[in-house]
Amino acid sequence: MANLRTQVGIIGAGPAGLALAHLLHLQGIESVVLERHTREYVETRVRAGVLEQGTVDILCGSGVGERLKREGLQHEGVELRFDGKGHRIDFQELVGKSITVYAQQEVVKDLIAARLGYGVPIYFEAEAIRIEDYQDNPKIYYLRDSQNHEIACDFIAGCDGFHGICRPAVPEGQLQIHERHYPFAWLGILAHVPPASHELIYTYHERGFSLLSMRSPEVSRLYLQCVPDEDIEKWPDDRIWEELRTRMATREGFVLKDGPIFQKGITPMRSFVATPMQFGKLFLLGDAAHIVPPTGAKGLNLAVADVRVLTRGLVEFYKHRNRELLSQFTERCLRRVWKCQRFSWWMTSMLHRFPQEDSFSHNIHHAELDYVTSSRAASTSLAENYVGLPFDTPGLF
Ligand code: FAD
Ligand code: DHB
């Protein structure tokens, strides 16, 4: 049993854990990062792709935005498409902001490179198996190279995602869970073909939702609504392209060229919030505390927003021994979490086809799409949420 001591023990090297470790380092606060997978695994795991302007500002302001600025694709609007017609929501004109398309695994690579670059390790293939005494003297027990190790720390940051160990370490009865399941999932692909549009297209169609996104001028990212227990084997490439073409067709003859698909996966849809997000000296951040359905691309951005709140709290504590901001962590995070939950739930409900929709629901659904694309007030609300709501408090970066 090898023992370590640190100020903040961080479990998980996803966007939340890595961003937290990076921001704390810049403030002179020491941390240890444990990650159960290999570096290669976390650097190639395909997930989100849209960064809010506030997330871009934090990454660039903290010195990890060089490649993001060079390779990220800045978008000033999105298209909503239904009844064979597209409607552009112009973010710049409506709210004066934009979003950046830059894959989550690229953010992860940049944060890993930054940490290793200033000579601080990340423990890969180190699985936290238990946390103890998080009210007083927090300890993390982990397994690495088949050996047991222990870290004593001032605080534990549970950045270990939805299936991690930190949230389940809290006794039942102390956590309140709020959740919603959806009767569909997304089938997502990456393909070597130039994107058929220079901006994202969210489509509502009788056969279900579809989304055109991208990763670079040569790589398209596309999604299709499917059933929750979809068998990916039933979706050969030709069937995927055919279905995408049907759903994205316009009266003006939109052309979606196909190309070699090099990655396929099913993303489940869920809304989930666990409250509170703190227990003594344990804090839950990102997917460990909340999950949004992917429509609207809020998951990664929300994880970074939690990190921003905890960093400020820890800086106040270590620089001025003031616990006030730390004590407000849950309350400050949840204000944004619930607004993002509302937005993601609303976008999901508006853009997906629900099984057994009766004629009343169908017409209301249609009216919602018509309203949001024809009213400046409604379009502005969508744009304001999509680019990211302003932060309540000033940040450090
Ligand atoms: P994670 O990225 O899950 O990181 C948690 C890390 O903790 C992982 O690396 C994990 O290996 C590690 N870990 C877990 N347990 C332990 C342990 N016991 N010991 C050590 N390490 C541990 N969002 C969007 O906005 N758009 C999308 O298209 C989108 N697609 C998604 C697709 C999938 C399949 C999933 C799962 C999520 C998707 N998301 C998407 C959500 C977004 O990717 C997440 O919100 C984001 O990754 C949250 O970051 P995080 O750091 O909180 O958690
Ligand atoms: C992407 C994912 C989303 O969930 C979304 O709403 C927009 C884009 C993407 O992976 O590019």
Side-chain angles (χ1 to χ4, degrees):
M1 179 88 92
N3 294 344
L4 269 176
R5 165 137 209 116
T6 190
Q7 290 179 306
V8 185
I10 299 177
I11 307 182
L18 290 167
L20 180 65
H22 171 63
L23 298 187
L24 292 180
H25 175 82
L26 297 183
Q27 296 296 322
I29 300 170
E30 189 192 87
S31 64
V32 169
V33 181
L34 300 177
E35 167 57 50
R36 74 166 154 207
H37 288 295
T38 62
R39 177 175 179 184
E40 200 209 341
Y41 180 93
V42 298
E43 288 190 343
T44 52
R45 187 166 43 189
V46 175
R47 285 185 167 180
V50 173
L51 305 184
E52 294 175 354
Q53 192 159 311
T55 304
V56 171
D57 292 346
I58 291 171
L59 295 171
C60 293
S62 66
V64 286
E66 201 191 305
R67 206 161 60 89
L68 159 58
K69 278 189 238 159
R70 213 172 48 238
E71 295 175 16
L73 306 169
Q74 199 175 336
H75 287 190
E76 300 189 344
V78 286
E79 182 180 320
L80 297 191
R81 188 176 282 185
F82 57 97
D83 291 344
K85 196 170 174 326
H87 307 261
R88 184 164 185 264
I89 309 284
D90 187 330
F91 300 152
Q92 267 304 331
E93 200 227 333
L94 294 167
V95 292
K97 290 187 185 172
S98 50
I99 51 125
T100 301
V101 177
Y102 189 67
Q104 175 166 328
Q105 73 267 29
E106 304 305 323
V107 174
V108 163
K109 275 184 208 158
D110 295 344
L111 288 165
I112 290 175
R115 184 166 177 91
L116 300 181
Y118 43 67
V120 193
I122 295 167
Y123 296 111
F124 289 105
E125 296 177 83
E127 178 164 14
I129 44 180
R130 197 168 81 248
I131 57 173
E132 271 181 15
D133 206 7
Y134 55 75
Q135 294 290 354
D136 298 309
N137 297 301
K139 285 199 187 64
I140 305 172
Y141 296 87
Y142 69 100
L143 204 56
R144 193 170 185 225
D145 296 328
S146 313
Q147 305 255 353
N148 287 305
H149 303 267
E150 177 186 328
I151 304 177
C153 37
D154 298 341
F155 299 98
I156 297 176
C159 301
D160 49 351
F162 187 68
H163 301 287
I165 59 149
C166 291
R167 195 181 64 251
V170 177
E172 250 182 71
Q174 288 185 28
L175 266 181
Q176 248 196 305
I177 305 294
H178 313 269
E179 64 184 324
R180 173 137 312 176
H181 292 267
Y182 299 88
F184 36 74
W186 282 10
L187 191 165
I189 61 161
L190 280 167
H192 285 298
V193 59
S197 155
H198 71 283
E199 288 179 344
L200 271 64
I201 305 173
Y202 287 85
T203 306
Y204 171 79
H205 188 274
E206 310 291 296
R207 294 177 63 85
F209 168 80
S210 66
L211 168 62
L212 181 148
S213 181
M214 64 229 40
R215 288 295 178 262
S216 72
E218 296 81 36
V219 172
S220 297
R221 175 82 166 134
L222 294 131
Y223 298 94
L224 277 176
Q225 175 181 347
C226 60
V227 291
D229 54 353
E230 189 65 76
D231 176 3
I232 198 118
E233 296 303 319
K234 295 202 178 124
W235 287 86
D237 296 6
D238 286 352
R239 181 176 174 208
I240 294 176
W241 288 114
E242 196 51 44
E243 190 62 34
L244 285 166
R245 266 189 213 108
T246 305
R247 295 188 193 184
M248 304 196 102
T250 61
R251 284 179 244 152
E252 283 103 48
F254 175 73
V255 177
L256 181 67
K257 288 212 188 83
D258 51 41
I261 295 177
F262 62 94
Q263 203 269 348
K264 272 186 211 177
I266 309 273
T267 303
M269 309 279 276
R270 176 191 284 124
S271 301
F272 176 96
V273 182
T275 59
M277 291 168 61
Q278 67 195 106
F279 303 87
K281 295 171 179 171
L282 167 68
F283 296 88
L284 302 177
L285 295 91
D287 281 15
H290 41 71
I291 298 281
V292 288
T295 336
K298 290 288 164 228
L300 160 64
N301 295 291
L302 214 42
V304 174
D306 293 347
V307 166
R308 191 177 175 279
V309 176
L310 187 61
T311 305
R312 270 180 59 93
L314 289 170
V315 168
E316 273 301 296
F317 174 76
Y318 283 112
K319 296 216 164 131
H320 308 293
R321 290 286 144 186
N322 178 359
R323 286 180 182 268
E324 197 182 338
L325 282 180
L326 280 182
S327 71
Q328 297 166 352
F329 174 74
T330 297
E331 180 194 327
R332 285 176 182 266
C333 290
L334 282 183
R335 285 193 70 198
R336 189 177 192 85
V337 167
W338 276 115
K339 288 190 202 104
C340 289
Q341 286 288 355
R342 184 207 70 83
F343 178 68
S344 306
W345 160 83
W346 172 74
M347 285 280 278
T348 301
S349 310
M350 176 171 72
L351 288 163
H352 289 74
R353 179 85 183 162
F354 283 75
Q356 282 114 36
E357 227 177 66
D358 63 15
S359 66
F360 184 84
S361 310
H362 183 69
N363 281 290
I364 292 285
H365 202 149
H366 202 271
E368 178 95 57
L369 285 160
D370 188 11
Y371 175 58
V372 84
T373 51
S374 59
S375 149
R376 189 177 171 92
S379 302
T380 305
S381 169
L382 188 156
E384 185 185 31
N385 280 277
Y386 197 97
V387 300
L389 292 170
F391 295 114
D392 288 352
T393 46
L396 295 159
F397 302 95

